Amino acid sequence: MELHSHLSNQTNTSYEHVITHLKEKGVRITETRKAVVSYIIDSDAHPSAEMIYKDLLPDYPSMSLATVYNNLKLLLEEGFVTEIKRANDNTTYYDFMGHEHLNVICEICGKITDFMDVEIPSLKKEAHHQTGYKITKEILSIYGICPDCQKK
């Protein structure tokens, strides 16, 4: 059974897009690479490399943590994922960038929430217009205090 057959259509389209892109770049598509790509696309938890490794290890016992890091590095370089840093936390978290959104991060508990339907293309256009730069990627995060921490 194909690993990604249980994914939603949008997720499946994103998966196919990433895999096709990597193949075109001459990247070898291994089973563990497919698993990491699938995991990061399907996750809404903004996982760390360690979380991905721990969750995939039962199905891929020969996979190493280095394999997860190498795959995340590749996806980062190709612009498919972004790194997120939380306040007071040295761990790096990863987010699939297959849809236009910003990350809103709580400064107290570190919770990360996606903020959707942001007009990032117009922001990129404006950045190009004002600076003349050809914008290749943007990494935007908004910090605040989440509703749960506001109640405390």
Side-chain angles (χ1 to χ4, degrees), residues 41-65:
I41 290 171
D42 215 26
S43 175
D44 53 7
H46 306 94
S48 67
E50 289 81 4
M51 290 159 70
I52 297 170
Y53 174 70
K54 188 172 66 70
D55 286 350
L56 290 178
L57 193 60
D59 293 329
Y60 300 88
S62 64
M63 183 176 62
S64 68
L65 182 56

Side-chain angles (χ1 to χ4, degrees), residues 77-89:
E77 286 167 357
E78 295 302 321
F80 289 115
V81 301
T82 188
E83 292 180 323
I84 303 169
K85 302 279 189 188
R86 296 177 179 171
N88 310 318
D89 183 347

Side-chain angles (χ1 to χ4, degrees), residues 7-19:
L7 304 177
S8 72
N9 281 345
Q10 184 182 351
T11 301
N12 204 17
T13 303
S14 295
Y15 174 86
E16 295 299 340
H17 174 67
V18 173
I19 296 300

Side-chain angles (χ1 to χ4, degrees), residues 65-121:
L65 182 56
T67 299
V68 175
Y69 273 111
N70 290 337
N71 279 292
L72 289 169
K73 183 174 180 274
L74 174 68
L75 293 171
L76 194 63
E77 286 167 357
E78 295 302 321
F80 289 115
V81 301
T82 188
E83 292 180 323
I84 303 169
K85 302 279 189 188
R86 296 177 179 171
N88 310 318
D89 183 347
N90 290 330
T91 304
T92 300
Y93 299 89
Y94 297 87
D95 189 16
F96 181 70
M97 299 305 289
H99 51 280
E100 299 285 1
H101 70 281
L102 296 175
N103 294 303
V104 183
I105 304 164
C106 180
E107 293 178 87
I108 296 173
C109 70
K111 179 178 163 186
I112 304 167
T113 306
D114 285 349
F115 175 52
M116 304 302 289
D117 297 326
V118 182
E119 292 198 27
I120 292 175

